Amino acid sequence: MLYQNARIENAKETQDIRVENGCFSEIAASLVPREGEEVCDLGGRLVLPPFIEPHIHLDATLTAGDPVWNMSGTLFEGIECWAKRKDKLNAEDVKDRVRRAVRLYASNGVQYLRTHVDVTDPELVALRAILEVREELRNIADIQVVAFPQEGILSFPNGKGLMEEAVRLGVDVIGAIPHFEFTREYSVESLNFACELAAKNGLLMDVHCDETDDDQSRGLETLATRALELGLKDKVTASHTCAMHSYSNAYVLKLMRLLKMSEINFVANPLVNTHLEGRADTYPKRRGVTRVKELTEAGINVAFGNDDLFDPWYPMGCGSMRDTVYLGLHVTQMMGYEDILNSYRFVTTNAAKVLHLGEAYGIKAGNPASFVVMDAKDYYEALSYNAPVTLSVRKGEVIACTEPARKQVLK
Ligand code: 17E
Ligand code: FE2
């Protein structure tokens, strides 16, 4: 198969892409079609590596309002609403919602997801169901599973035991939630426990870290220190880190050295944290999004996630990575020309580092032929005009396509 006139990652010149046996075999200007080879002219459209959702809660997806709506819009009421929904979980309910959500993502060019799954459930109903359904969905997406202790590791009965059981069941990533633990001591102990569990089992880590406007929430320094000392380094991701929005500049100045040394990754969730944070403020209201611009300028890897798709924490979402990038650039004031042009990296290459996808991710000869085509000439235009993903190709196979809408002004 030969894809002609692809504008790979905003390149000035177009190239042709040859796909054989599910892999990229040649990428060059003007490849000559072979006898009998199928040809698809991309007409100079933008071609990117597949989109990645680095932070989502698939166990809770598509449950907003069931059984109750989150009226205050706080993280904590979201956790209460979810605790009520958790009582009604069964395997088929979880699988049905995950299938629908992952198919929505697939329609928008997302081929990789990292999902947090709440393991503060003595039966681990959602975890067992998601580990099963991810096998069924392998032809459209790779799904990494995080053992996420929503109600705490130290602050929930048998929290440590449930984390260990989740490891036995086959999770890929260890989570934690230090800002939700009852005390600062529990918070530190939960991180020590989680980091050691990850190190012992050779797993990645992704912590819901300081998702609060409380500038005294300091889970991040503990996490980065353990990442450094245990040699976990870039296997570790700090998600949310909203408190960093509220830290004093003097403290951040000191913290940055450790963050750089630790090599940990960050995931910001701009849609959800602008919605959930600042709820105890009158005016001015904080936005609660971590310091993406400063982290990026310091050479630290940051990705953007959606966090939610129509669940107790966030009542919207359509399974696309576009809106989180769009809002993320606004709220972090990263709206320079190059910032906008390259912002696809927050949900592609940067997110690939979070997931540790390694060399097999990306558009180059020898790699699995996975890519998306957008109806735009570059990502600036794609983002600005909300261009659709017209093709999503996975290991050489087209798994989703969209016809761009034809709009006409009649006068
Ligand atoms: N749970 C949590 O602690 N924080 C969030 N943002 C979501 C779930 C979505
Ligand atoms: Fe989250």
Side-chain angles (χ1 to χ4, degrees), residues 235-249:
K235 286 187 178 155
V236 174
T237 295
S239 280
H240 297 290
T241 58
C242 306
M244 204 202 290
H245 187 101
S246 297
Y247 288 163
S248 74
N249 291 337

Side-chain angles (χ1 to χ4, degrees), residues 55-57 116 148 150 208 211 239-240 269 272 307-308:
H55 190 122
I56 180 70
H57 296 252
H116 298 259
F148 171 52
Q150 176 68 80
H208 277 64
E211 191 183 8
S239 280
H240 297 290
N269 299 296
V272 168
D307 201 12
D308 305 276

Side-chain angles (χ1 to χ4, degrees), residues 174-282:
I174 299 297
I177 186 164
H179 56 277
F180 193 77
E181 300 286 353
F182 291 149
T183 66
R184 200 198 65 84
E185 289 76 13
Y186 278 11
S187 157
V188 173
E189 194 183 333
S190 73
L191 287 170
N192 287 341
F193 171 81
C195 290
E196 274 154 28
L197 191 61
K200 202 164 59 192
N201 292 282
L203 298 176
L204 302 172
M205 283 196 79
D206 193 330
V207 173
H208 277 64
C209 197
D210 308 315
E211 191 183 8
T212 166
D213 296 312
D214 175 9
D215 66 331
Q216 298 304 306
S217 187
R218 301 276 165 103
L220 181 56
E221 62 181 23
T222 304
L223 179 64
T225 302
R226 295 295 170 271
L228 178 65
E229 290 172 352
L230 291 169
L232 290 165
K233 298 203 146 188
D234 66 348
K235 286 187 178 155
V236 174
T237 295
S239 280
H240 297 290
T241 58
C242 306
M244 204 202 290
H245 187 101
S246 297
Y247 288 163
S248 74
N249 291 337
Y251 174 64
V252 172
L253 208 58
K254 174 228 167 188
L255 181 64
M256 276 294 184
R257 174 173 176 264
L258 168 65
L259 297 181
K260 279 191 263 186
M261 286 166 73
S262 73
E263 297 174 28
I264 66 171
N265 303 289
F266 285 76
V267 174
N269 299 296
L271 290 163
V272 168
N273 286 127
T274 50
H275 161 60
L276 295 177
E277 304 311 308
R279 293 285 175 163
D281 292 352
T282 52

Side-chain angles (χ1 to χ4, degrees), residues 8-150:
I8 301 171
E9 298 199 39
N10 298 324
K12 290 235 159 32
E13 310 295 330
T14 62
Q15 289 191 295
D16 297 344
I17 300 171
R18 175 163 280 130
V19 173
E20 289 174 294
N21 303 319
C23 291
F24 294 119
S25 58
E26 269 181 286
I27 300 172
S30 309
L31 292 174
V32 180
R34 292 183 186 145
E35 174 97 25
E37 189 175 32
E38 209 182 323
V39 174
C40 171
D41 184 1
L42 299 179
R45 288 192 185 82
L46 173 66
V47 169
L48 295 176
F51 289 120
I52 300 172
E53 170 61 276
H55 190 122
I56 180 70
H57 296 252
L58 287 178
D59 53 350
T61 195
L62 304 173
T63 66
D66 176 11
V68 287
W69 290 95
N70 180 345
M71 300 306 288
S72 66
T74 62
L75 166 67
F76 300 107
E77 188 173 337
I79 296 174
E80 280 174 39
C81 296
W82 169 239
K84 294 193 177 95
R85 183 60 174 77
K86 235 184 333 187
D87 289 340
K88 301 202 298 178
L89 287 178
N90 66 63
E92 257 329 294
D93 154 50
V94 175
K95 288 184 184 178
D96 170 59
R97 289 183 290 99
V98 172
R99 283 184 197 113
R100 282 190 282 142
V102 173
R103 295 185 78 77
L104 260 181
Y105 274 111
S107 73
N108 292 303
V110 175
Q111 295 188 19
Y112 299 85
L113 302 96
R114 171 178 281 185
T115 180
H116 298 259
V117 180
D118 185 1
V119 297
T120 51
D121 161 14
E123 308 301 327
L124 298 173
V125 174
L127 180 66
R128 292 174 206 275
I130 286 182
L131 289 171
E132 280 177 25
V133 78
R134 79 161 159 184
E135 298 308 318
E136 185 190 310
L137 293 168
R138 264 198 203 286
N139 56 347
I140 57 169
D142 289 306
I143 303 174
Q144 263 185 12
V145 177
V146 186
F148 171 52
Q150 176 68 80

Side-chain angles (χ1 to χ4, degrees), residues 351-362:
K353 285 188 199 150
V354 169
L355 270 68
H356 262 242
L357 298 183
E359 286 301 309
Y361 177 83

